Amino acid sequence: ALRSSITAMRRRRIIAVALLATSVAPLAPPAKRRLNFINLTNGIEALPVLDHATNICRIQSSRCEANDFYGVLQDLDHNLLFHLATGAECRIYDYGSRGTRWPGETEQKIPRAIWWGLVWVRYALEDVWKIPHDDTPTLRGYNVETLFREKLGRLPKPIYKKLKYYRKFSPAKVDLVGCYFVEGTVNDGRDDVYAEIVDEWLADA
């Protein structure tokens, strides 16, 4: 009986040491959260290669083309803002392009919602959330920081309050990534095509 009691005590001591070692072991850093968003409407074309956890957003190219700075911010979805503010990398898929080609080693059709919209959104969120700007914002190679500062100085109060709400999460950066199809789209305005893509994507869920 005494031997069995001693054995049990040793077993409990071993378990206790193991638990203590587990509790003080350094924890691995959490994996980076990466979320996919399709930008309506042309971003629907990316659905066949994306999983069913994909999110939706709408940064309208027409607003970008009209230099509607405040309209772009007003349209930002709270789901996107929350994930950005809590440190996720948010990938925005958009296959739309109206034939505008981007100069470089290879010609690429980059959607206006990406080369204009995301640059403005990132800068505006960094400013409202008090995150240092790592880069000077440029549009087609032109420094637009003065323009952006001017627009932010007159940011309508309702939009400012909407964006400022997420500052409480103390984001370290605004991790927005634009993803596009270099050839652009041939389905612009083809609502029937987009409806079919969505139907097939949902059928595979």
Side-chain angles (χ1 to χ4, degrees), residues 140-171:
R140 287 186 169 176
Y142 292 97
N143 185 329
V144 291
E145 187 161 27
T146 299
L147 174 62
F148 281 9
R149 297 300 314 162
E150 175 191 341
K151 296 299 181 181
L152 286 169
R154 295 184 290 168
L155 190 63
K157 188 173 182 179
I159 298 177
Y160 175 77
K161 290 178 65 177
K162 170 186 175 179
L163 304 182
K164 180 178 178 290
Y165 173 84
Y166 293 93
R167 194 165 72 196
K168 62 170 61 71
F169 299 108
S170 302

Side-chain angles (χ1 to χ4, degrees), residues 168-202:
K168 62 170 61 71
F169 299 108
S170 302
K173 66 180 295 186
V174 178
D175 204 349
L176 266 176
V177 179
C179 305
Y180 57 93
F181 179 50
V182 295
E183 297 298 327
T185 182
V186 296
N187 297 314
D188 210 13
R190 294 287 307 277
D191 290 346
D192 58 325
V193 172
Y194 292 122
E196 183 178 354
I197 293 174
V198 170
D199 286 344
E200 292 180 357
W201 182 72
L202 292 174

Side-chain angles (χ1 to χ4, degrees), residues 2-203:
L2 177 60
R3 180 173 296 178
S4 62
S5 177
I6 293 174
T7 301
M9 289 175 62
R10 287 176 176 171
R11 185 180 296 114
R12 286 197 296 271
R13 187 178 297 114
I14 292 172
I15 293 173
V17 170
L19 289 174
L20 179 61
T22 302
S23 65
V24 300
L27 297 176
K32 176 74 173 181
R33 285 186 299 124
R34 293 182 174 88
L35 291 91
N36 296 322
F37 290 76
I38 60 165
N39 191 42
L40 297 174
T41 302
N42 299 111
I44 288 174
E45 294 183 48
L47 282 178
V49 298
L50 298 175
D51 61 32
H52 289 85
T54 299
N55 299 273
I56 306 296
C57 69
R58 193 170 188 216
I59 300 172
Q60 299 184 57
S61 59
S62 58
R63 287 198 185 277
C64 301
E65 191 171 2
N67 292 325
D68 186 357
F69 291 88
Y70 305 135
V72 169
L73 298 181
Q74 180 61 54
D75 288 346
L76 291 178
D77 181 76
H78 285 279
N79 187 49
L80 174 61
L81 290 172
F82 174 80
H83 286 298
L84 285 172
T86 53
E89 175 188 294
C90 295
R91 300 177 178 182
I92 312 298
Y93 288 78
D94 191 334
Y95 284 11
S97 176
R98 296 184 178 179
T100 302
R101 288 192 175 272
W102 193 260
E105 295 181 1
T106 58
E107 289 189 324
Q108 303 178 33
K109 292 184 178 180
I110 302 180
R112 190 178 297 266
I114 289 179
W115 69 259
W116 194 104
L118 294 193
V119 172
W120 164 239
V121 168
R122 183 184 297 109
Y123 190 89
L125 292 180
E126 287 174 346
D127 190 79
V128 174
W129 293 348
K130 299 189 180 303
I131 301 172
H133 303 294
D134 289 334
D135 301 302
T136 299
T138 60
L139 296 179
R140 287 186 169 176
Y142 292 97
N143 185 329
V144 291
E145 187 161 27
T146 299
L147 174 62
F148 281 9
R149 297 300 314 162
E150 175 191 341
K151 296 299 181 181
L152 286 169
R154 295 184 290 168
L155 190 63
K157 188 173 182 179
I159 298 177
Y160 175 77
K161 290 178 65 177
K162 170 186 175 179
L163 304 182
K164 180 178 178 290
Y165 173 84
Y166 293 93
R167 194 165 72 196
K168 62 170 61 71
F169 299 108
S170 302
K173 66 180 295 186
V174 178
D175 204 349
L176 266 176
V177 179
C179 305
Y180 57 93
F181 179 50
V182 295
E183 297 298 327
T185 182
V186 296
N187 297 314
D188 210 13
R190 294 287 307 277
D191 290 346
D192 58 325
V193 172
Y194 292 122
E196 183 178 354
I197 293 174
V198 170
D199 286 344
E200 292 180 357
W201 182 72
L202 292 174

